[in-house]
Amino acid sequence: MATELEELVGFLSSPSPPVKKAAVEIVRDLTGSEDGLLSLSMYASTVLPSLSQLLKEKKVRAFPFWKILSAVVKVGLHLPRHSQEQLASNEVSEPAAEALINLSLNSNLATKMVEMGMIKTAMDVLYKPDSSITRLLVMLLVNLTQLDSGIVSLLQIEDEKMQGLFVMKLVRSFGRSSDETRAGRKMLLDSKRGLLKQILRQFDSTSPLRKKGVSGTLRNCCFEAENQLQNFLLISEFLWPALLLPVAGKKIYSEQDTSKMPLELGSALSIEREPWDDPEIRVEALESIYLIIVQEAGLRTFWSVNGPRILQLGYEDEEDPKVMEAYERVGSLLVHGSGTEEPSSETSK
């Protein structure tokens, strides 16, 4: 005979919206206590998939039932039981997300979530046009990426064709500063997770779209340079090639120049290389450089990799007016030691 908790978990899949809504709210409340978490963990194989499915529920506006009933009575009509259920609110995705956030604090349950594809589910729901639980989904992703397996899942490391696209999409959505995006940016720039480093490693991709995605992702991350500069500088061996190679021009650099650069930059610039034809990537790289070197420590590091010389030679080869303007803006900062205007924080298109 089923226990009360088994019945409750079963109600999460009820075809009746009011029953389902009541069940998920009770489950959400149970996850707020250690005893509740322990009890629900015994039914993880059922409760986790059910909650995952409820994340996809659409938010349906429901009128106050007493108003509907009053209108029905006035015209002398009978309101069938199934119609009453259809008129009830179907807002279950929010309490479902809150329950999953609480459950994911348990490492064993978080591991099960990752294994069942919860990160993909969260990302799919996150980018639905009608999604109203963005903040909660980001919090869930933050919790799940505390695990190595969660990081692997978010980076899509095991899928070569899709690798890194989740993270790029995530960062590009954080182009505007807001309370909802702070947790997401913090997650992506956390040096312990290494997500940004994994993104920058894809800059060697032969796909123009992938390179453009990396460039836009990095540019949007750089709006956090004031608070996260140390995390950027910890991955300098990946950061500076990603920012400077697109704007280094076509020339083969002299040994005198490359000897003042780190090996990963000097080696690439001492040989013939494919040009960076996309002017948008070059503009984004220069804007990223600006956002980093406006910080004193960032400026010192930029000089230490011979960055000003690279921009000087790159500018000599540049023909696009918009890109030249971006070069000049960074150059003005280098000359005067401070900037008067930051690039727009609007997400790159």
Side-chain angles (χ1 to χ4, degrees), residues 259-277:
S259 64
K260 301 174 184 177
M261 302 175 190
L263 181 62
E264 58 271 10
L265 264 178
S267 298
L269 294 175
S270 62
I271 58 175
E272 290 188 6
R273 54 196 180 277
E274 292 291 324
W276 293 78
D277 295 327

Side-chain angles (χ1 to χ4, degrees), residues 189-207:
L189 294 172
D190 186 347
S191 59
K192 294 179 181 178
R193 288 184 171 89
L195 296 177
L196 185 58
K197 181 168 70 174
Q198 293 294 336
I199 295 172
L200 295 180
R201 280 178 170 170
Q202 297 179 58
F203 218 65
D204 293 332
S205 171
T206 56
S207 166

Side-chain angles (χ1 to χ4, degrees), residues 6 9-10 12-13 37-53 100 103 108-113 115-116 118:
E6 284 178 312
V9 171
L12 293 173
S13 303
L37 278 173
L38 181 61
S39 298
L40 288 170
S41 67
M42 298 172 64
Y43 301 95
S45 60
T46 302
V47 73
L48 294 181
S50 296
L51 290 173
S52 176
Q53 186 62 34
L100 287 168
L103 291 167
N108 291 331
L109 294 177
T111 299
K112 291 180 180 179
M113 289 186 202
E115 291 173 351
M116 64 179 281
M118 188 68 74

